[in-house]
Structures are given as structure tokens and as C-alpha cells.
Amino acid sequence: MSAQTTVSSGDRTTKTEIRFHNTMSGETEAFVPLTPGEVRSYTCGPTVYDFAHIGNFRTFVFQDVMRRYLKSKGFRVIQVMNLTDVDDRIIQKSAAAGVSIREYTDKYIQAFLDDRRALNLEPPEYIARATEHIDDMVKLIQRLTAKGFTYTSEGSTYYRIAKFPAYGKLSKIDVAGMQTGARVDMDRYDKDNARDFALWKAPKPGEHFWETPIGPGRPGWHIECAAMALMYLGDTLDIHSGGVDLTFPHHENEIAESEAATGKQFVRYWLHAEHLLVDHEKMSKSMGNFATLRELFSHGHKPSSIRFLLASVPYRRQLNFSPEGLQGAASSVERLRNFVLRLRTEKFPEGISPTMAERAATAKDEFDRGLADDLNTAQALAAIFDLVREANTAMDRGEFRQGDAAAVLEALETFDAIFAVLRDDDAEKLRSLGIEPASASLSDAEVETLVADRQAARKRRDFAESDRLRDKLAERGVILEDSRDGGVRWKRK
Ligand code: AMP
Ligand code: ZN
């Protein structure tokens, strides 16, 4: 399969070409994977020294939207995400807590995986822990040494950037005139400090280290990702993505490491998400302006609102995080859920209206066109909200027909394959994280869904389930009044 995918809608057939903005070329290009029909993608995962914040999740949600979209277009996606479970901060923090690196990071890895589930992030095909791939990193360093790209100093091994003429091609830094041999030991530094960087770090007294053929020590951050990407995905990947802060030095250094070793192009498309901001500053641990998912959940925000908010702003646009934005996202999700409920439960006049199926097909096309255009989620969403507004108006005017429901529902399902917010399971998700959902927070749509589920249970004479649902509603302050004709009304206590 190439970038050309066929979308048929009714009797029309349109071609959508998937286009992604590639940081390497600075252009939006047609997406053509190396192997037809298959996408090999690497995602820089979190450094697990603490809970991830929702800035991190902005990038992870973008990566999930991308994988879901590619899958919906028929591609087989092989995504690898690493977990950086050894770095300067992890070593310091685990030592301060008096526990092993493993014990320290296990807790945050579990929390991260739970948070991902709460946000409906699909699991990548491979999740790779850095500490389980030390051998691969050592072997990659040995390959680089054999080709003359490294040198050692005081037990550490460094990458000689002067030996790789293409250094700087991703982040567009100019290395001319840079002092050869100047070194940096830290994993994170800025462009003004572009230097030879540590591939392997000699242990400091009392620090955890690995005994290896290149000496005792631990890997630098950049070699972790390069080694795992090559090991799982081969010499050339289709997509490598992360937040914009990773462009330099992390991704620049990954290119230097992998391309020097293999002699081949490392990545065909580099995709970088813009930051989530708070009051126009990057959300980050070091700024102290961060919120974790759990904090937001315990303040009564729902997983679906957060996912919707993070997905709704196209990934290359900065997203300023605010309580109003979250509120707006919550109302959007509720509007969509209410609409689907209306579609499923209201009885419309029989027949088919002359335009609605066509209208739904157009919305699906526009939704697809938005996503094909470098994952323009805002444009894609506009197509769905236009459809919802028009269909609601048609319903209010009595112009919507029973026969239109399937086509409109199908458009909403296409939307939800990517956005994943329609299922009304926020309360269950919170409980699975040990958080009691804010009381009285059942929306009308949520109540209607539970009432409809209970009606369905009664109809099939599953009285245990029907009682359970009645109790569940009662717990949340909703009382049901069954009428003699089998109908039901509800009100809040
Ligand atoms: P880290 O754990 O710092 O390596 O970050 C994990 C991922 O989150 C990386 O792809 C970062 O680029 C991304 N990231 C960090 N802060 C933000 C932010 N404020 N907005 C968007 N992405 C971010
Ligand atoms: Zn990485």
C-alpha cells in the first residue's frame, strides 16, 4: 500500500494522500513507508523517575492518534516505545530512597501503564526497558569504536561528533568552528553546548553500574534509544517521534550513533509534537508548573475530557492548558455522547431522508482529509461537529428518518476509532485507578446510558443486572420511576 488510500463513500471515490511534516526536511511530505502496508515506528517513552505529567501525555496522545489513524487506513503498525529506567535523576532518586533502580522505577512504570489505559492509549507492540538492553547498547558502542567514532576518557566513552559530517542535520545547528574534543557528560544540554557526548559513563562512587566488555558503567540516554530502535525495527525506521524538546540533542545524537554504525538512513519521517504550555510556559517538572493525570482525576476531571483536549489541538500547534479548556472538552464529549444516545434510542419516522446519508459520507471524507493532512485533528473534528449539528437540527424538525441512523452512526464510529472518547466508562476507569469519581458527576448522557442499559436488561429478563444498574444509579443520586407500560423516568435526588 502506498500513501494513496482509497476512501469510498456512497458512489463517490476520493483519494487521500497521507502527509506528515518531517522535521528533517522541514516540509510536509507524502507518507510512503519503506515496506508497503507496514509502518515501523519508534516512540521515545518516559524517563520513569516520577509520575508522567499531562505535557508528556500530550505527546503520547499525538502518537496514539497517529497509530490509530495509520491502522484505520489499513497499515500494519509496529510501534516500539522505550522506558528510560536508568539516568542521572533515577540514580540519584533511587539512592536517596534507599532502594534499587529496579524497585524505584517499577512503581512509576506501573503508574505510567495505568495512566495510558485511562487515556485509551493503545499499547505499542513492544515496550522496551533500557536496563534490559544493556548488551545491545554495548554492542552498538563497540561497532562505533571499531569504525573510529569514539574515544575514552577516565573510563567513559564519548562520541566524536567531528567524525560525523552530517551532525546537526536534524536540528540545523552549525557545528563549524566548534572546539573539537570538548565533552559533555550530562544527558540533557542545549544547542549552544553541542559537544562530544557520553555513550557510556564510568561509575561514580556508590553508583549502580554494569560490568561489561567496554568497562564498568552505565549507558548514556541517547545510545539507549538508538540501540533499541535498531534492534527491534532494523536499520531504517519509517517514523520516529517525540516532543520538540527531543530534537536536540537526543534525536540528533541518535542519528549520529545509528547512521555511523549502519551507514544507512536511520529514519524516514521525524515527527515532533509542540509543547503543552501553562500560562505560556512549557509544562515541565523542573518549572514546577505540572499536573499529573491523577491530580486532575482527583479534582473531578474525566479521562475522556483530558484525552479529547489533548487530541483536539493539532500536534504541531502549542496547546495552552487551562481549566476552561478542560471544561470545554468535557462539554464537547458530552455533546457527542448525547448525540449518539439520541441516535440509538430515539424513534424516528420510518424511511430515508434524501440527503442525510450523503451528508454523513461527506463528513467521513472530510474527517479523513483532516487527518491525512498531517493529522489536523481540529479540521477532522469540525467535520464531525458540523454533522452532529445538522443531524440534531434535522431531528428537531422531524426531518431525520430511521433509515438515516446507520450512516450517521458509522461516521461517529469512524471518528471514535481515532478519538476514543464515546464509551461512557470514565467512572470505571477512575475506580480502576483507586480514585472515587466525584459524586453527582454523572452527566445526563451517562444517566441515560445506564437507564437504557437497565431497560435492555429488563427486556431480556436479566433482573440481577437490572437491579445492579438501579443500585448503581441510586448510589449516584439518581432515582428511577418505572411506569406500568414498561417505560421509565428518572430524576436526581
Ligand atoms: P521525558 O520523560 O522527559 O523524556 O518525556 C517524555 C515525552 O514527553 C517526550 O516525548 C517529551 O518530548 C514529551 N514532553 C515533555 N514535556 C512536554 C510538554 N510540556 N508538552 C508536550 N510534550 C512534552
Ligand atoms: Zn529516545
Side-chain angles (χ1 to χ4, degrees):
M1 186 151 115
S2 78
Q4 296 278 310
T5 50
T6 303
V7 181
S8 56
S9 43
D11 53 355
R12 289 165 315 178
T13 300
T14 50
K15 294 261 188 210
T16 18
E17 180 181 67
I18 299 175
R19 295 171 69 77
F20 288 145
H21 182 270
N22 189 346
T23 311
M24 184 61 87
S25 65
E27 313 231 323
T28 303
E29 303 170 6
F31 174 67
V32 186
L34 195 60
T35 307
E38 184 177 287
V39 178
R40 278 168 301 130
S41 160
Y42 189 89
T43 300
C44 287
T47 309
V48 283
Y49 70 103
D50 205 337
F51 293 105
H53 56 68
I54 55 156
N56 303 129
F57 281 109
R58 201 248 158 145
T59 295
F60 297 128
V61 167
F62 137 67
Q63 287 155 339
D64 187 62
V65 164
M66 172 165 66
R67 73 168 269 134
R68 283 171 178 268
Y69 182 57
L70 289 168
K71 277 174 63 183
S72 79
K73 302 302 289 181
F75 290 102
R76 185 166 94 89
V77 174
I78 308 160
Q79 182 190 7
V80 177
M81 180 182 67
N82 71 295
L83 298 169
T84 300
D85 61 348
V86 53
D87 88 331
D88 301 338
R89 290 166 298 187
I90 292 172
I91 289 176
Q92 276 162 20
K93 289 193 168 237
S94 57
V99 295
S100 66
I101 288 184
R102 186 92 195 176
E103 199 180 328
Y104 185 80
T105 53
D106 270 352
K107 173 180 159 196
Y108 294 112
I109 289 177
Q110 194 51 53
F112 175 65
L113 298 177
D114 291 344
D115 285 355
R116 287 183 62 94
R117 266 193 299 278
L119 286 186
N120 277 348
L121 298 174
E122 287 187 344
E125 280 59 31
Y126 298 96
I127 296 185
R129 271 179 97 133
T131 54
E132 289 172 0
H133 294 79
I134 301 289
D135 279 355
D136 299 305
M137 298 166 202
V138 168
K139 285 195 187 108
L140 182 56
I141 296 170
Q142 286 174 318
R143 275 172 86 183
L144 289 170
T145 300
K147 291 189 163 190
F149 284 94
T150 71
Y151 59 93
T152 55
S153 173
E154 293 171 23
S156 294
T157 307
Y158 295 89
Y159 186 99
R160 193 189 298 280
I161 59 176
K163 184 88 173 75
F164 187 69
Y167 193 82
K169 67 178 172 177
L170 180 72
S171 55
K172 321 290 181 253
I173 57 162
D174 184 6
V175 287
M178 223 176 54
Q179 195 194 339
T180 352
R183 294 189 295 272
V184 54
D185 283 289
M186 281 177 320
D187 283 330
R188 295 177 193 243
Y189 51 93
D190 57 32
K191 285 189 196 180
D192 295 340
N193 282 312
R195 284 154 196 242
D196 291 350
F197 57 92
L199 296 165
W200 187 254
K201 302 184 188 191
K204 298 199 187 93
E207 259 185 21
H208 184 88
F209 64 90
W210 282 263
E211 199 60 74
T212 74
I214 56 170
R218 63 189 171 88
W221 175 34
H222 319 298
I223 199 76
E224 293 180 9
C225 283
M228 292 188 281
L230 296 178
M231 186 268 186
Y232 283 95
L233 296 169
D235 291 349
T236 301
L237 287 51
D238 294 305
I239 299 176
H240 196 321
S241 63
V244 280
D245 55 309
L246 298 193
T247 314
F248 187 89
H250 188 49
H251 290 160
E252 195 67 64
N253 291 352
E254 279 187 47
I255 293 172
E257 293 162 340
S258 53
E259 297 194 354
T262 66
K264 295 189 195 137
Q265 180 186 22
F266 178 40
V267 168
R268 292 161 62 79
Y269 300 87
W270 285 96
L271 271 65
H272 290 104
E274 271 298 341
H275 284 143
L276 181 91
L277 310 178
V278 184
D279 294 332
H280 306 283
E281 294 269 14
K282 177 192 172 194
M283 179 178 280
S284 70
K285 281 274 150 62
S286 53
M287 291 289 295
N289 61 351
F290 64 94
T292 62
L293 273 186
R294 282 144 209 258
E295 283 162 359
L296 294 175
F297 292 158
S298 43
H299 289 132
H301 297 293
K302 295 177 185 175
S304 58
S305 328
I306 298 169
R307 180 175 168 103
F308 186 90
L309 176 67
L310 299 181
S312 61
V313 176
Y315 77 97
R316 289 209 308 124
R317 251 189 251 161
Q318 292 181 330
L319 194 174
N320 201 38
F321 179 74
S322 67
E324 298 75 42
L326 252 185
Q327 209 47 55
S331 326
S332 297
V333 172
E334 193 167 328
R335 200 149 99 237
L336 292 167
R337 287 182 181 173
N338 278 330
F339 175 70
V340 172
L341 192 73
R342 188 172 188 191
L343 264 181
R344 291 214 167 106
T345 55
E346 207 166 304
K347 280 269 156 280
F348 305 104
E350 287 307 317
I352 295 190
S353 66
T355 53
M356 197 43 77
E358 176 72 11
R359 184 61 199 84
T362 311
K364 258 177 71 172
D365 277 1
E366 282 168 9
F367 179 78
D368 184 63
R369 255 200 297 280
L371 293 176
D373 179 14
D374 197 24
L375 303 174
N376 188 337
T377 47
Q379 190 187 326
L381 274 178
I384 295 301
F385 277 105
D386 283 352
L387 173 68
V388 169
R389 201 185 49 249
E390 287 170 34
N392 264 325
T393 308
M395 289 171 182
D396 295 343
R397 290 195 184 138
E399 291 164 3
F400 195 90
R401 297 281 179 266
Q402 199 56 47
D404 300 331
V408 177
L409 210 49
E410 196 190 307
L412 268 292
E413 279 161 7
T414 303
F415 150 82
D416 208 44
I418 314 297
F419 278 78
V421 292
L422 290 181
R423 227 179 101 97
D424 196 353
D425 56 1
D426 291 296
E428 281 159 48
K429 287 207 165 112
L430 294 183
R431 285 208 187 84
S432 75
L433 289 176
I435 299 167
E436 199 42 42
S439 58
S441 66
L442 275 185
S443 63
D444 285 2
E446 288 166 330
V447 174
E448 295 279 2
T449 309
L450 288 169
V451 170
D453 287 352
R454 176 173 170 270
Q455 285 295 82
R458 285 175 82 195
K459 213 163 163 189
R460 59 174 195 270
R461 308 188 68 76
D462 182 353
F463 296 114
E465 175 65 0
S466 134
D467 287 350
R468 191 187 71 77
L469 290 168
R470 172 189 276 272
D471 293 347
K472 183 169 171 179
L473 284 158
E475 259 171 43
R476 314 291 295 279
V478 176
I479 308 172
L480 301 183
E481 289 168 2
D482 293 323
S483 62
R484 261 194 229 133
D485 61 1
V488 66
R489 287 162 40 146
W490 62 267
K491 61 179 188 196
R492 294 183 195 272
K493 262 195 265 191

